[in-house]
Amino acid sequence: MNKVMSNKWVITIYILPALLLVGVLIFIPLLLSGYYGLMDWNGISAMEFIGLENYSTAIQDVKFWESAWHSLLLALFSTLSLVGYLAISVILASRIKGSDLLRKIYLVPMLLSSVAIAQLWIKVFNPTNGMLNSVLMTIGFENPPAWLAEPSIVLFAIFVPILWQYAGFYILIYYAALKNIPETIIEAARIDGATPLQIAFRIKVPLIMTVIKVTIVLAIVGSLKYFDLIYVMTGGGPNGASEVMASYMYKLAFSSNDFGYGSAIGFLLLIITLIVTIIIRKATATKEEIQY
């Protein structure tokens, strides 16, 4: 019994620094964000307690719900893109010629900063001399759109570099999971006459379903709190057409100096993310996980 207690103390001592770090860097700022959301504060002068007024205002704020819808759209597109990433990973894991080189190429966007990626795609989307419009005019389009200036298409134009930025990350995860499948299982399926498609969809994908569920949660949560590339490329414009929750929160706090309302938006972003995560976890849970 003393040995068991001793082991518990040793474990506690080892994990205590990590717990303190998580508390200082994550939980305390989250609690402070919720607290500041109860205040009328410009970040400099004294705070004035106004209760739930900021949260009530946010619920009635049309711009907030528009930015929330844009974030949910990004989450939807990010989740759908996982199908393409998974297909690429299955092909790369099948020992095709040049798979090592292709895997390294897909990882290149991960090595670039978001600012560099944003500047690169701003050049690509340039309406006068950008690469995309140059190609479109070459193949016959006389008046290609100004991708980052038209409210009806700017949001979907920005989704392209975002999905490109994280392609290598998810491909690497799926590739590693597929490589961990025992080769004996694949060989047995081939002996039984299974085709490559049957092996991919009836053996490989089910065996890495746990990893797929994790990537779905990562894609959704990452999309809901996404900020940097959108802010650099458009700043949420034109006229809020590409605004997401994180960029709207940033503008309120640091451009309008309304730290109280901005903190309330940030705390609501946390709540929405938690709710969506719980729903996804429940929707993708197996019977065994539900019973557990």
Side-chain angles (χ1 to χ4, degrees):
M1 183 69 180
N2 291 333
K3 187 176 180 181
V4 174
M5 292 300 296
S6 177
N7 289 338
K8 287 183 178 180
W9 279 110
V10 170
I11 293 172
T12 303
I13 292 172
Y14 272 110
I15 67 174
L16 186 59
L19 290 176
L20 290 174
L21 193 62
V22 169
V24 171
L25 297 180
I26 297 179
F27 290 112
I28 292 178
L30 290 178
L31 293 175
L32 287 176
S33 178
Y35 171 72
Y36 292 149
L38 302 173
M39 305 292 172
D40 181 12
W41 185 40
N42 62 8
I44 300 175
S45 61
M47 291 184 289
E48 178 185 353
F49 181 78
I50 57 174
L52 297 176
E53 184 176 329
N54 283 328
Y55 295 96
S56 176
T57 302
I59 292 175
Q60 302 173 52
D61 188 350
V62 175
K63 289 185 177 180
F64 168 70
W65 289 112
E66 287 179 352
S67 65
W69 169 242
H70 296 162
S71 294
L72 289 172
L73 271 180
L74 176 57
L76 175 62
F77 276 80
S78 297
T79 305
L80 293 176
S81 68
L82 295 178
V83 178
Y85 302 152
L86 179 58
I88 293 172
S89 302
V90 171
I91 295 172
L92 292 178
S94 301
R95 300 177 182 175
I96 64 168
K97 187 176 180 180
S99 61
D100 290 339
L101 176 61
L102 289 173
R103 194 167 68 251
K104 292 179 176 65
I105 292 174
Y106 290 131
L107 291 176
V108 168
M110 292 179 60
L111 306 177
L112 302 175
S113 69
S114 294
V115 174
I117 292 174
Q119 293 300 326
L120 170 66
W121 282 90
I122 287 174
K123 301 294 185 184
V124 172
F125 287 134
N126 189 291
T128 56
N129 56 10
M131 184 181 69
L132 180 56
N133 279 3
S134 297
V135 172
L136 291 176
M137 286 188 287
T138 301
I139 62 177
F141 286 86
E142 295 183 358
N143 296 306
W147 298 94
L148 301 181
E150 295 190 13
S152 59
I153 61 175
V154 60
L155 191 66
F156 302 101
I158 289 180
F159 287 172
V160 175
I162 294 174
L163 300 182
W164 177 76
Q165 179 183 14
Y166 289 99
F169 173 73
Y170 292 109
I171 289 173
L172 183 62
I173 291 176
Y174 290 144
Y175 180 84
L178 290 167
K179 280 298 184 181
N180 280 329
I181 298 175
E183 191 63 29
T184 53
I185 297 177
I186 308 301
E187 290 298 329
R190 290 197 184 102
I191 293 172
D192 289 340
T195 64
L197 283 178
Q198 289 174 329
I199 292 174
F201 290 105
R202 296 189 179 183
I203 297 177
K204 291 183 177 181
V205 171
L207 287 175
I208 65 167
M209 188 54 66
T210 302
V211 175
I212 293 174
K213 292 177 183 179
V214 171
T215 57
I216 291 174
V217 174
L218 288 175
I220 292 174
V221 172
S223 298
L224 292 177
K225 62 184 183 66
Y226 198 82
F227 168 75
D228 44 8
L229 189 142
I230 291 176
Y231 187 78
V232 174
M233 289 187 70
T234 65
N239 197 27
S242 61
E243 198 84 81
V244 291
M245 285 189 287
S247 63
Y248 186 51
M249 173 191 68
Y250 180 88
K251 283 184 177 180
L252 288 170
F254 297 99
S255 297
S256 303
N257 291 326
D258 194 345
F259 278 82
Y261 191 34
S263 297
I265 296 294
F267 199 71
L268 287 175
L269 170 58
L270 169 66
I271 293 173
I272 292 173
T273 303
L274 286 175
I275 292 173
V276 172
T277 303
I278 292 171
I279 292 173
I280 296 300
R281 293 289 295 171
K282 292 289 185 181
T284 59
T286 61
K287 293 182 179 179
E288 292 78 8
E289 291 172 335
I290 293 174
Q291 292 174 355
Y292 179 78

